[in-house]
Amino acid sequence: MITTASRDALLGRDSSPVAPAREGAPYDIVFVDRDGTLNRHRPGYVTRGDDLDVLPGVPAAVRLLNDAGCRVVLVTNQRGLATGALTEAQLVEVHQRLVDDLATAGAHLDAIQVCPHQVGECGCRKPLPGLFEQALRRAPWARVGRCVMVGDQDTDLVPAQGLGMRTARVDEASATFEEVVRALLMPTI
């Protein structure tokens, strides 16, 4: 669980195991994108914690996932680290702000996975599956068919679908993160 986290955890460099989902949880892992899903997407990079605009209902929705026993893992491309438009210290500040904002609702992330690379330099930059594979290595108990990815773009959803995960799209105008989470947690009849 990430609350006040280490620098490595906030930069997505932590490789420690993710604790298993609680027995009876509807999903083993709920993967979430950051920009456009948890916080308002803006031009350029979010370089200060004060500029992170967490969308309404997000902390409460993450808490619903936590309370349901699901593990919640952030998967985010941060190309600005490779280009120099974003420093590691800035990303740490932004992710700590996200963690703090979630904590105000009693919510938390269980892990953060970050791609810090330029396009074409790695296998982890979404829409490639590397971020998901890294997280799944940290959670060998998780079954891919019991995982779901929530994001706002095809680049978020395509790699998860390729691995056999369920996906759900967030759209601020028609399906907020909170609405998507509530739908995912509705019991099937």
Side-chain angles (χ1 to χ4, degrees), residues 97-176:
R97 174 62 177 267
L98 175 60
V99 166
D100 293 346
D101 285 357
L102 294 176
T104 64
H108 66 272
L109 299 171
D110 293 287
I112 297 174
Q113 298 297 146
V114 174
C115 172
H117 304 110
Q118 275 280 27
V119 176
E121 289 184 348
C122 66
C124 61
R125 183 175 174 77
K126 294 181 290 177
L128 298 174
L131 288 177
F132 299 93
E133 293 167 344
Q134 289 170 16
L136 290 167
R137 279 193 295 277
R138 295 177 64 188
W141 50 266
R143 292 178 291 163
V144 174
R146 288 188 37 82
C147 294
V148 62
M149 171 61 192
V150 182
D152 68 318
Q153 298 182 38
D154 286 344
T155 53
D156 301 322
L157 308 179
V158 167
Q161 290 166 342
L163 291 170
M165 292 180 200
R166 180 177 177 181
T167 60
R169 185 181 295 270
V170 169
D171 177 343
E172 203 174 334
S174 61
T176 66

Side-chain angles (χ1 to χ4, degrees), residues 33 61 78 83 85 90 102 163:
D33 174 53
Q78 294 298 321
T83 66
Q90 289 170 321
L102 294 176
L163 291 170

